[in-house]
């Protein structure tokens, strides 16, 4: 019964220690990393295009199976 308490306390204390030491690292928001920004927007656009393509394919298949048009 005492072992989970010790492990739980050490994990909680370790988390607090890392939270307090990570405060020294702050990013400079005046100089964005344009490669990462472009990669994020490009990935998002690619996934939306893939979603629309899959949706249109699903609609075509639905119409063909159910003789809608």
């Amino acid at each position: 019964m005492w072992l989970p308490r010790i492990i739980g306390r050490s994990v909680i204390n370790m988390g607090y220690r890392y939270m307090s030491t990570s405060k020294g690292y702050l990013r400079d928001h005046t100089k964005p990393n344009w490669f990462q920004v472009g990669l994020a927007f490009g990935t998002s656009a690619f996934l939306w295009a893939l979603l629309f393509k899959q949706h249109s394919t699903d609609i075509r298949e639905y119409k063909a199976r159910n003789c809608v048009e």
Side-chain angles (χ1 to χ4, degrees), residues 6-20:
I6 292 173
I7 293 173
R9 286 180 189 161
S10 64
V11 169
I12 290 172
N13 290 337
M14 186 172 46
Y16 286 135
R17 189 185 78 193
Y18 285 127
M19 284 173 51
S20 65

Side-chain angles (χ1 to χ4, degrees), residues 19-35:
M19 284 173 51
S20 65
T21 58
S22 67
K23 289 181 182 177
Y25 175 72
L26 296 175
R27 290 187 180 202
D28 185 14
H29 294 292
T30 59
K31 299 178 190 175
N33 186 347
W34 290 111
F35 175 73

